[in-house]
Amino acid sequence: WLRDEKRTLVENAILLINKGIQLQVGGEYGIGGLFNPTSNQVTRDEIYRNWDNLPSFALEHILSLPNNQNLPILQAAIINKTPPHIIKGIISRFNEFVNTKDSLGQYPIDVAVNCRLSWDDGMKEIIQIFSSAQLSAAIYICAKHGVQWENGTRNVIEETGLSMLEREDEITGLYPFMLAATGGKYNYDLGSVFHMIERSSALSR
């Protein structure tokens, strides 16, 4: 009986969210009302508390539909400040969406930088998966997208080693500190530029 009831609830949730997407409830980042920022806190807390029991199952079906292949689900989760375990769960379950742009041309990493998503709350996973999808080293991804020094770039350098700072990006021919200084379309981080130059100088001495 419980399984039948849960199936019915999931099916109803799918219908409601999918209809909401068609009607653009909550705008681009509302995902059909799932992450509607106008919902009261009690409603949002209830959705997050029951995430693994209902919304995640509905979302899995919704994102498999042809018309929803490019939904900015990760951007929406980050912008609407969903709990870290949900953001990380979405990354784990739907990692292909780490490489999906929103209507402004922003990847999840761009939104994560703007919203200062912390390293431990999903930034680490976004950088790892996005760099793999882009066939680029993580340090170049951090530099190109303006990842803050204290919120990802330093961690990447500690994991990959200082020698990466002396290697040119194969696409641009620029060193990481140059990429960081140039910045991407949305972000750049002067702190990263300073620390990269400082550490690059130490290597060359």
Side-chain angles (χ1 to χ4, degrees), residues 28-203:
E28 180 179 17
Y29 305 119
I31 311 297
L34 182 62
F35 296 131
N36 193 347
T38 62
S39 300
N40 62 57
Q41 191 60 48
V42 174
T43 300
R44 280 183 283 175
D45 288 344
E46 189 66 22
I47 291 174
Y48 301 152
R49 185 162 45 249
N50 292 287
W51 184 264
D52 292 331
N53 295 322
L54 182 60
S56 65
F57 288 101
L59 189 61
E60 185 168 9
H61 177 81
I62 288 165
L63 294 180
S64 70
L65 299 175
N67 291 339
N68 297 332
Q69 294 294 306
N70 294 313
L71 281 179
I73 181 66
L74 263 174
Q75 291 92 324
I78 295 167
I79 286 173
N80 287 294
K81 302 186 185 305
T82 59
H85 77 276
I86 292 179
I87 292 175
K88 295 174 81 169
I90 292 173
I91 294 170
S92 174
R93 200 163 185 173
F94 312 107
N95 57 53
E96 66 272 21
F97 285 87
V98 170
N99 202 38
T100 297
K101 293 180 180 180
D102 62 15
S103 63
L104 298 175
Q106 298 180 113
Y107 287 106
I109 191 171
D110 298 312
V111 173
V113 171
N114 282 331
C115 295
R116 301 190 74 85
L117 182 70
S118 76
W119 177 257
D120 292 327
D121 288 348
M123 180 65 89
K124 177 181 180 180
E125 290 79 3
I126 288 174
I127 291 172
Q128 289 175 336
I129 295 172
F130 188 61
S131 60
S132 177
Q134 294 287 312
L135 302 177
S136 179
I139 186 60
Y140 303 133
I141 291 296
C142 288
K144 290 176 182 177
H145 292 269
V147 175
Q148 295 95 351
W149 174 258
E150 73 283 0
N151 199 29
T153 300
R154 175 178 57 80
N155 305 76
V156 167
I157 291 174
E158 288 176 352
E159 290 184 358
T160 59
L162 287 174
S163 62
M164 287 299 297
L165 297 177
E166 296 291 298
R167 296 183 187 177
E168 298 175 352
D169 174 36
E170 292 182 359
I171 297 175
T172 63
L174 299 177
Y175 291 105
F177 81 88
M178 296 176 180
L179 287 172
T182 304
K185 183 177 180 181
Y186 298 97
N187 304 292
Y188 68 93
D189 182 54
L190 289 177
S192 292
V193 177
F194 170 79
H195 288 293
M196 286 181 184
I197 291 174
E198 183 181 49
R199 284 158 177 76
S200 296
S201 299
L203 280 177

